[in-house]
Each structure stands twice: as C-alpha cells, then as structure tokens.
C-alpha cells in the first residue's frame, strides 16, 4: 500500500535490524535517534512524555525528510506507541446507536422505523445533555500494526469490525475539565476494534453485561496506526472522515462530528477515573455499519481497510484460527 502524510506524523518502525521511533513526512521516514530530542527519549512513548519540547522540534526534522528520509514502503509499520492505558468508548456515534435501537426492535413493538429513529434521537439528546459515555478498558497486548494479519479465533463465528478515531494523550491528565481537555491531546491515529460478538454476549454472562475482555482483547484484535498525526497538523478533529472497507466494499462511513460524546468529554471522563499518561489511547467509538448490521462476519482471506482522512489507512487481512497447542 502506498502511504504518505501531508505535513508529518510519528510512528514506530522496523527495518529488519532494529525497531525505532520515526517521523514521516510525505512518504519518507526520518529515524529519531535515541536521546536526539532530549535525555531519556528513546521510543515513541518517550516523545509524548516530553511532548511540549518535542512538538517544537518536529517541523525542523520534517523539513529534512525529502533528502534524508527512507521510503516508508521499505519499512515495517508497527503500532505507533505502546500505551499504559487504553480506554474505549462504546456506542458513541449517533448513527450506531440508532442502528442498534432499530435492529433491536421487539416483535411486539408497533412503531415504524421512522418512529424508532425519532425516539433514538430524543434519547441520545437527553443522554448527551445529562448522561455519560460508556467507557471500558482495552489491553495493549491486543494491538498489531497497520499491515499485520488479524488472527481469528476458533471459538467465534461472529467476529466483526469497528473503525475508530483514536485520541493520543500528550500530557498527564488528572481529573481535567472538558474546557481544558484538548490541551492534553497530542494527536490522533486510527484503530479497528475487532470484536467476537458471540463471545461478547454469551447467555451465561449476559446478566453481568457481557464478556468484553474475552471478545475484544485477543492478540491482533486491535490494529492501530499507521501513524500518529499531531493535532496541530489536522485542524478540527470533527471534520475527519472515518471509513471502513471490507474486500473493497464500503461498510462504514461517518464524520467525527457525529460522536455522541465528543473528544473533550471523553478525555475529561477518562481522566476522572485514573490519571491519563502521555502516550495513552482513547478509542472514540465507531459509526454504524459493522457486522451486525450487514449480518456479515469476518472469514479467513477477508481484507479490512480502515481509513481516516488526514491520518492514513490500516490494511489488515484475516487469517484462519491457529490450531490449539497439544
């Protein structure tokens, strides 16, 4: 896949000999040598720990990419950062919530689709005004890179996708207000939250709210990347367009402006639970159009392309489940 970034972004790369933090500008990558930007800055997570100073130095590095950089096509793209915490927002797009309500219509419900959609809008307006986002934790061990295969699991026959915009934290956020939340955001990246739905809501766990850990946190179930683009390189995050294609067919498409709880609300709510650390990730939810809507589940050989305008595209092929070790 041909990749390039307008302006510049940050990532983690491998060249067959070593793994390194790098800056990508256009389609070329400059290696950021250990401690080049300050004592103790070795990997990408360290860049965000020293973000105010690092951010000032990046434009000068980016200016050298055309002459000193290596083509990104020659490198393996790894998950761009290893976070301490991963927060994920569930049912956070208006289109997705409406889709859930309409598709979950009871057999004895006499309302039309239009009436159900109107009821969903009213419910979402009240929730946005008075309620809170549904947040849950993810595991960094589930992450994989922009071109890595997704390994399906043998115990699931209903595994699907969720394209998501990801917030990357750039300063410790401890119980911050929404008015100051964006001051703690370094940039944004892309994720695909792979979910085994038949493991998420098994009958035995349904009274407890479902098994989110088992369904969403298998190795390779969280492709992230390809790069982290600083917030000041993207403009208003609400204008970003999110798209997912399955084998070339568009299944999801929406704008970040249609979140139920916006980025400041999510950062503020997560930071009230635990102090967010530089390099931490917040997945902001997924639009309508995942497998449940289409009644189409992932199978070996499927190819998922998850894109966000201005950031880039993940391209992940699905692989057959591995045989159990004796």
């Amino acid at each position: 896949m041909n990749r390039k970034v307008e302006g510049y972004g940050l990532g983690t790369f491998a060249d067959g000999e070593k793994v390194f933090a790098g800056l990508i500008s256009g389609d070329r990558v400059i290696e950021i040598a250990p401690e080049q930007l300050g004592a103790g800055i070795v990997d990408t997570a360290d860049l965000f720990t020293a973000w105010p100073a690092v951010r000032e130095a990046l434009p000068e590095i980016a200016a050298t990419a055309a002459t000193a950089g290596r083509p990104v096509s020659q490198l393996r793209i790894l998950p761009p950062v290893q976070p301490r915490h991963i927060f994920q927002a569930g049912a956070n797009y208006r289109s997705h919530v409406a889709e859930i309500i309409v598709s979950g219509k009871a057999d004895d419900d006499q309302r039309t689709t239009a009436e159900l959609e109107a009821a969903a809008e009213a419910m979402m307006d009240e929730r946005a005004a008075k309620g809170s986002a549904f947040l849950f934790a993810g595991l960094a061990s589930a992450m994989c890179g922009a071109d890595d295969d997704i390994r399906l699991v043998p115990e699931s026959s209903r595994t699907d996708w969720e394209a998501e915009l990801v917030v990357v934290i750039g300063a410790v956020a401890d119980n911050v207000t929404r008015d100051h939340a964006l001051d703690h955001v370094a940039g944004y990246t892309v994720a695909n939250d792979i979910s085994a739905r038949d493991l998420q809501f098994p009958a035995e766990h349904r009274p407890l709210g479902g098994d989110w850990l088992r369904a969403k946190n298998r190795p390779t179930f969280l492709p992230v990347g390809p790069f982290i683009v600083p917030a000041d390189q993207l403009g208003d995050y609400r204008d970003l367009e999110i798209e997912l294609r399955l084998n070339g067919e568009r299944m999801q498409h929406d704008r970040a402006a249609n979140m139920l709880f916006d980025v400041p609300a999510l950062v503020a709510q997560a930071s009230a639970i635990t102090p967010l650390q530089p390099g931490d990730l917040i997945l902001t939810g997924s639009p309508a159009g995942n497998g449940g809507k289409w009644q189409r589940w992932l199978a070996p050989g499927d190819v998922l392309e998850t894109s966000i305008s201005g950031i880039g595209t993940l391209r992940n092929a699905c692989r057959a489940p591995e045989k159990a070790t004796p």
Side-chain angles (χ1 to χ4, degrees):
M1 169 173 286
N2 295 323
R3 289 191 170 97
K4 65 183 302 183
V5 174
E6 299 296 332
Y8 55 84
L10 297 167
T12 302
F13 306 89
D15 62 4
E17 297 181 359
K18 62 181 178 299
V19 173
F20 59 91
L23 179 148
I24 180 169
S25 181
D27 62 355
R28 303 186 75 82
V29 175
I30 292 282
E31 180 178 349
I32 298 175
E35 305 202 357
Q36 174 185 348
L37 295 178
I41 298 179
V42 176
D43 58 24
T44 314
D46 299 328
L47 296 175
F48 297 108
T49 300
W51 185 241
V54 166
R55 180 173 54 187
E56 295 297 321
L58 294 181
E60 184 176 345
I61 297 173
T64 69
T67 55
R70 284 185 277 179
V72 67
S73 59
Q74 296 179 3
L75 302 170
R76 182 183 174 195
I77 303 171
L78 302 177
V81 68
Q82 284 296 313
R84 296 177 181 86
H85 303 118
I86 299 176
F87 280 96
Q88 297 180 242
N92 195 42
Y93 272 76
R94 288 180 172 270
S95 60
H96 192 191
V97 175
E99 182 179 273
I100 291 170
I101 290 174
V102 172
S103 64
K105 177 182 177 180
D107 291 340
D108 59 352
D109 192 332
Q110 300 300 310
R111 288 177 294 177
T112 65
T113 297
E115 289 170 335
L116 285 169
E117 290 173 344
E121 285 293 334
M123 179 274 289
M124 287 186 283
D125 288 343
E126 182 175 4
R127 184 174 162 221
K130 301 177 182 178
S132 59
F134 177 71
L135 294 179
F136 57 96
L139 300 181
S141 59
M143 296 170 65
C144 68
D147 299 302
D148 292 342
D149 289 348
I150 295 165
R151 300 198 306 269
L152 302 176
V153 294
E155 59 267 46
S156 175
S157 60
R158 294 188 170 218
T159 300
D160 77 0
W161 57 85
E162 290 186 311
E164 306 206 22
L165 174 68
V166 183
V167 176
V168 183
I169 298 299
V172 174
D174 186 2
N175 207 26
V176 301
T177 65
R178 61 166 291 124
D179 290 342
H180 294 283
L182 291 180
D183 297 338
H184 300 264
V185 173
Y188 298 89
T189 189
V190 184
N192 187 352
D193 178 25
I194 303 299
S195 305
R197 298 302 184 193
D198 41 0
L199 304 182
Q200 188 172 350
F201 301 111
E204 62 178 319
H205 294 154
R206 191 175 294 274
L208 301 175
D211 193 337
W212 297 71
L213 181 67
R214 182 169 61 154
K216 289 178 172 282
N217 287 285
R218 302 305 182 90
T220 74
F221 268 31
L222 189 60
V224 178
F227 321 113
I228 296 168
V229 177
D232 59 12
Q233 296 290 297
L234 284 175
D236 191 336
Y237 77 89
R238 292 171 295 187
D239 293 331
L240 299 177
E241 293 196 20
I242 302 158
E243 179 182 86
L244 184 138
R245 290 181 178 269
L246 173 63
N247 300 331
E249 181 181 357
R250 188 162 80 176
M251 312 301 277
Q252 291 183 286
H253 181 250
D254 211 330
R255 293 175 63 247
N258 293 321
M259 291 180 196
L260 188 55
F261 295 94
D262 61 10
V263 168
L266 296 176
V267 172
Q269 185 174 328
S271 75
I273 298 169
T274 192
L276 304 179
Q277 302 298 318
D280 283 353
L281 305 180
I282 301 177
L283 279 65
T284 59
S286 188
N290 57 16
K293 171 183 171 55
W294 304 109
Q295 289 299 292
R296 167 64 161 89
W297 311 105
L298 293 175
D302 283 341
V303 176
L304 293 158
E305 293 176 298
T306 313
S307 304
I308 297 182
S309 57
I311 302 176
T313 299
L314 308 171
R315 187 183 188 279
N316 305 101
C318 295
R319 203 167 82 200
E322 295 182 351
K323 293 182 180 179
T325 303

